[in-house]
């Protein structure tokens, strides 16, 4: 692929077994160009276990989680390891699946509200595509959190504003009452 495109390339991740250990790996290649001519490619495999370990440590509110997909929408990371390597289509909510495809195609971040197929819980999902070097391909990170957890800080802020606003309104009405009372007494 690096030869055909003249730029860095990354293959979709695949499972590889060595020494009784199965790993998720992605092959990469960089073209070697001399005097404007392709003379070869340098490449290697990237073992994704460290990336997946780091993603498993990400805390998204209390019970949220992270998903990462490759350029084709195959799950490189999901908390359910059985979904690694599987296409997002059919394995997650249709709305989220469509948003994943759109993000991978246009490189634009999005957010969607979905219903978890397994639990029926409303989730808020933030999708952030990121380019893979200069391959021209995007991979994607999705942060999914229960809607009530994601909105808790906003709801707390709204409650504070309502309480403060109500308090200020009452104080203003009391001050206004005494001002009007003072003005009407002076007119009598």
């Amino acid at each position: 692929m690096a030869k055909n495109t003249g730029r860095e390339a990354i293959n979709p991740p695949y499972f590889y077994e060595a020494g009784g250990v199965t790993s998720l790996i992605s092959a990469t290649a960089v073209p070697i160009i001399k005097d404007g001519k392709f003379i070869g490619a340098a490449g290697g495999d990237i073992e994704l276990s460290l990336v997946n370990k780091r993603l498993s440590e990400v805390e998204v509110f209390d019970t949220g989680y992270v998903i990462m997909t490759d350029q084709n929408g195959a799950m490189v990371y999901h908390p359910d390891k059985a979904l690694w390597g599987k296409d997002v289509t059919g394995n997650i909510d249709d709305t989220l699946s469509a948003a994943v495809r759109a993000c991978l195609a246009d490189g634009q971040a999005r957010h969607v509200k979905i219903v978890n197929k397994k639990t029926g819980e409303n989730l808020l999902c933030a999708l952030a595509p990121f380019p893979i070097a200069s391959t021209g391909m995007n991979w994607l990170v999705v942060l999914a959190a229960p809607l009530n957890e994601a909105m808790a800080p906003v709801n707390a802020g709204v409650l504070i504003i309502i309480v403060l606003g109500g308090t200020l309104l009452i104080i203003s009405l009391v001050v206004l009452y005494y001002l009007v009372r003072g003005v009407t007494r002076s007119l009598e």
Side-chain angles (χ1 to χ4, degrees):
M1 192 169 9
K3 179 180 180 180
N4 296 339
T5 63
R7 61 182 180 199
E8 297 171 17
I10 187 166
N11 288 336
Y14 58 93
F15 289 101
Y16 181 78
E17 187 172 333
V21 177
T22 302
S23 299
L24 191 59
I25 292 177
S26 187
T28 61
V30 177
I32 300 172
I33 310 290
K34 183 176 181 183
D35 298 326
K37 292 185 181 183
F38 178 84
I39 61 169
D45 292 332
I46 299 172
E47 209 273 321
L48 297 169
S49 65
L50 182 60
V51 172
N52 289 350
K53 181 180 183 309
R54 294 287 185 245
L55 289 174
S56 72
E57 295 168 352
V58 173
E59 293 181 12
V60 182
F61 294 101
D62 293 331
T63 61
Y65 55 91
V66 177
I67 299 171
M68 187 167 76
T69 74
D70 71 5
Q71 68 270 25
N72 298 317
M75 287 187 262
V76 174
Y77 176 79
H78 188 284
D80 180 355
K81 287 184 180 182
L83 295 176
W84 291 10
K86 302 244 187 320
D87 192 287
V88 294
T89 307
N91 288 300
I92 57 176
D93 177 88
D94 293 339
T95 303
L96 180 55
S97 182
V100 165
R101 296 279 180 219
C103 285
L104 290 171
D106 65 19
Q108 299 296 310
R110 290 175 171 68
H111 68 276
V112 293
K113 184 179 138 191
I114 66 165
V115 176
N116 184 310
K117 284 183 173 184
K118 291 181 181 176
T119 65
E121 185 175 33
N122 288 322
L123 299 174
L124 184 61
C125 299
L127 297 84
F130 59 95
I132 300 295
S134 60
T135 62
M137 297 177 195
N138 292 317
W139 281 24
L140 180 72
V141 171
V142 179
L143 301 178
L147 190 59
N148 61 340
E149 290 178 26
M151 296 304 293
V154 174
N155 293 339
V158 168
L159 182 60
I160 289 169
I161 289 170
I162 290 171
V163 169
L164 287 175
T167 303
L168 289 173
L169 178 63
I170 291 170
I171 291 170
S172 298
L173 289 174
V174 169
V175 168
L176 183 62
Y177 169 77
Y178 284 109
L179 284 173
V180 169
R181 187 173 162 200
V183 168
T184 56
R185 280 192 178 168
S186 64
L187 293 177
E188 290 174 358

